[in-house]
Structure formats: C-alpha cells, structure tokens
C-alpha cells in the first residue's frame, strides 16, 4: 500500500483550518475530548484555535503485553463522566477515521453520559468500507483531509523525525 | 524577557534523547502519565520510543471562564486510580518545569495512589526559584534541556506554524 507521510507542521495547519470550519458551523464545544493516543497531538493543536479544556479517553486494540484484541481495551475513561458531560457539547478528536471502529465505540459510550451534542473531527478520513458506524444522534462531522485508503505515516511515529520530514 | 522558539521536530528529537536516558537509567515504566495540556504532545512523542500506555491528568490554573486561580483546577484525573497505579512504575511527563507548582501538585496526588515508583521527565527545566517541590520519594528526574528563565514558545501555541518555524 502507498505510504503518505505527513509532517507536524502540516497537521498543525490542518487543525487551524478545521477550527475555522467548526467555528463557522456554529458549534461551540464545552469540552474537547481527545481519543488517545492518536488524537492527543491533533487535539492539543486544536486547543490553540478553540480554547476549551481537553478531556481524554484512551482506547487500544491491544493489551498490556501488546497482544491484539477483538474488543477495545479502555486504557482510561473520563472520571465522573455523568457529572462532567451531561448537557454539554463535546468535540471528539481523533487522528484518523479508518475502520471507524474506535470512533464508533467512543461515540456510543459518550452518548450514555447524555451530552447535549457531540461533533466529530478527524485529521484524515479514509474513503473505505467502515466496520464501525456513527450513531444518528451525531450530525456534525469535520475531516481535515478525505482520501483513498493509504498507509498514513504520522510524524509522532517516526524514529528519525528529519528522515520522516524528507519523505513528506 | 527573551523568547525561545522551539519546533515540533526539535521536541521530537529531544524526546528520543530523553527516552535513551530513561532506558539507560534502568527505569521501566508501566504507564506514562501525561500532564495536560502541555504534556500531551511530548508524552505521545515519547511513546514511540518507550511504548507504554498513556494515562492523562488535566491541570489548569484557570477556570472554565478563563479566570486565573490560586489553586489548581483538576480538569481530569485518572479513573479508578488506586487500582491502576498501586505498585506500578509511572513516568510523569510535562513540557516544562517552570515554577514546579503543577508537577509538585501532581506528584503529591499520584503518590496517594501508592505507586511503586515515579520518575519525572520534562522537555525543559528552567533554572529558577521553584514555588513547588519534588517530594523526596522521587529519585529520578530527566530534563531534555536545562536553561535560564526564558519565555519558551511551544509550536502547539503558534497561530501560524510556518511563521513560528522561521523564528526557531
């Protein structure tokens, strides 16, 4: 599969563009919720342009011994979530909407805490068959770039960042 | 005060160097704990080199209306912390050890969950009088760069990232 290398600066610029789309849509979140670990960096970049507190949830499809699992492993959830999220507007952030499994899982679970509204934003959305789905309650979805199915190489996964940069 | 601009790529390289120092010290964390929001990006970079799950804590010295407060506002804490942290080795990550107030606060609170050991790592440590302190239980401290008191401009706070890059 073709590899697509993306730099930190490019993702920063995408998050700025996304923030403008979100602001123009009229959506004013109470909280940014970052899906970890892929959403941590995009969410922090976004906070510069939409200055709301960041909460995080950690989801992994592997256990502590790096065994791959069918069901997601919840590394961390929001503490006291009903109190924090009930009636609130949430902007959920992840790096990529690939199979949609993680995002779908998080949305279902966040909805149990009865937020007023959730909007989704991702740096990249891959146009492909999705295993997960976005619940009908979710009406706002913002993608920085929509693309064919490719292997995206994120800068934070680079062993040598200057080598990575040369491939961007 | 003099401004010191730092790029994403530079911080990525610092986190790689830090990971080597940490590994050479023999410290093998069970969890990375990122202090939000400044520690989110360095912690995710570090995970590429020390692949442990990231938990986050969110600490702010302002309230939801951006009023500055004397006491830290806990935006998020670890859910079920006694179960997760008791007997575990934690690598606490933040971007800067400035007044030491946030780091000191987090360390005191993390120690109540009875971890086996906590090590601290920061991208930058400023040599200045510290308001906070590191409890005596903490024996390992790793700083990527130690510097005089300067105004550090982190890339994630940049409005225009290419302008920021030109200042680095």
């Amino acid at each position: 599969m073709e590899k697509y290398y993306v730099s930190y600066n490019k993702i920063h610029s995408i998050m700025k563009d996304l923030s403008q789309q979100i602001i123009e849509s009229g959506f004013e979140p109470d909280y940014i919720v970052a899906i970890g670990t892929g959403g941590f960096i995009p969410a922090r970049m976004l906070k510069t342009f939409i200055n709301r507190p960041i909460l995080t949830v950690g989801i992994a499809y592997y256990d502590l011994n790096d065994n791959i699992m069918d069901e997601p492993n919840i590394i961390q959830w929001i503490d006291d979530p009903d109190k924090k999220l009930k009636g609130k507007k949430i902007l959920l952030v992840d790096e990529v909407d690939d199979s949609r499994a993680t995002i779908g899982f998080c949305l279902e679970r966040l909805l149990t805490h009865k937020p007023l509204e959730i909007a989704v934003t991702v740096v990249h959305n891959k146009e492909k068959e999705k295993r997960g789905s976005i619940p009908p309650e979710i009406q706002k979805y913002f993608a920085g770039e929509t693309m064919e199915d490719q292997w995206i190489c994120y800068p934070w996964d680079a062993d040598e960042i200057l080598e990575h940069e040369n491939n961007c």
Side-chain angles (χ1 to χ4, degrees), chain A:
Chain A
M1 196 183 287
E2 203 186 336
K3 284 188 180 177
Y4 175 59
Y5 289 85
V6 55
S7 71
Y8 284 116
N9 290 356
K10 172 77 180 181
I11 296 173
H12 189 103
S13 297
I14 290 174
M15 297 320 290
K16 180 174 180 173
D17 291 347
L18 275 168
S19 74
Q20 287 166 347
Q21 286 180 50
I22 293 162
I23 290 165
E24 281 166 19
S25 80
F27 186 72
E28 295 183 352
D30 297 293
Y31 285 107
I32 295 169
V33 173
I35 301 178
T37 63
F40 287 166
I41 290 180
R44 178 57 191 83
M45 291 169 170
L46 191 65
K47 186 183 193 300
T48 293
F49 306 104
I50 297 179
N51 187 17
R52 306 311 302 157
I54 300 178
L55 303 174
T56 75
V57 297
I59 308 290
Y61 281 84
Y62 45 83
D63 66 14
L64 284 178
N65 300 316
D66 273 336
N67 300 310
I68 291 178
M69 298 161 75
D70 288 335
E71 293 301 309
N73 182 13
I74 301 177
I75 306 289
Q76 180 172 9
W77 197 251
I78 295 158
D79 56 323
D80 213 353
D82 293 331
K83 193 173 158 208
K84 279 187 178 140
L85 301 185
K86 191 179 171 188
K88 300 292 186 189
K89 284 176 284 180
I90 297 169
L91 182 57
L92 185 68
V93 180
D94 209 351
E95 93 278 40
V96 62
D97 180 351
D98 187 339
S99 74
R100 199 161 279 178
T102 305
I103 292 171
F105 174 85
C106 285
L107 286 169
E108 290 289 357
R109 211 177 141 125
L110 287 170
L111 285 170
T112 66
H113 306 305
K114 305 201 187 316
L116 183 64
E117 189 177 359
I118 310 178
V120 175
T121 190
V122 293
V123 187
H124 298 110
N125 178 29
K126 293 184 184 176
E127 290 184 312
K128 60 188 282 190
E129 199 180 335
K130 304 287 190 183
R131 281 194 296 126
S133 63
I134 291 179
E137 293 93 330
I138 312 303
Q139 298 288 327
K140 294 197 174 78
Y141 178 98
F142 306 92
E145 292 186 333
T146 301
M147 51 172 49
E148 287 176 28
D149 198 1
Q150 287 173 80
W151 182 346
I152 308 175
C153 299
Y154 287 100
W156 46 84
D157 288 323
D159 180 51
E160 279 293 344
I161 193 62
L162 297 180
E163 227 170 79
H164 177 94
E165 190 91 6
N166 286 337
N167 288 318
C168 290

